[in-house]
Amino acid sequence: MNPLLRAALPLTLAAMLGACAVIPDRAGVENIPLPQGSPAALLQTVAVGDLTVTPQEVVEDSRCPINARCIWAGRLVVRTRIDGAGWRDTADLTLGEPFGTHGKVIALTSGEPAPEAGAGRETAKEDYRFTFEAR
């Protein structure tokens, strides 16, 4: 065999085998849930009892700013994916109101940061953190 081909063969073979490696698409990799009680950002999964919960979108944040007096407290509503053993549900959870599905009850117990009067901007979606608990 030609000495040049003999030297190139291992490199060619290594390149071909490397091209066969399966690298999972990041979107297809399941989230590893944060520990129970941890505040979760949007699209971040957290353990809640024997469920996993993923806040997906802020539907409404009309809460009264922390440095203002309001007649109405307002509300925080978060579209949330809830995964149990063999099932998945998506629901709009309202801060402080229990939600039941498949014999399980969970609640959105906090949403940070709280709005501030005079801040001059809405809360950026990447700044939100949500805490859930099993009831």
Side-chain angles (χ1 to χ4, degrees), residues 19-87:
C20 294
V22 177
I23 300 171
D25 178 27
R26 183 68 189 133
V29 175
E30 283 296 314
N31 268 340
I32 296 173
L34 294 171
Q36 186 162 321
S38 299
L42 288 172
L43 304 178
Q44 196 169 32
T45 301
V46 63
V48 178
D50 59 351
L51 305 174
T52 57
V53 174
T54 309
Q56 296 186 313
E57 168 186 11
V58 175
V59 175
E60 177 185 341
D61 190 356
S62 59
R63 295 175 291 168
C64 179
I66 58 174
N67 56 343
R69 290 183 176 217
C70 302
I71 296 171
W72 183 59
R75 41 187 229 155
L76 174 63
V77 181
V78 179
R79 183 154 298 133
T80 306
R81 188 181 76 208
I82 306 159
D83 291 293
W87 59 269

Side-chain angles (χ1 to χ4, degrees), residues 91-102:
D92 290 348
L93 301 184
T94 301
L95 181 64
E97 295 180 11
F99 176 80
T101 183
H102 293 82

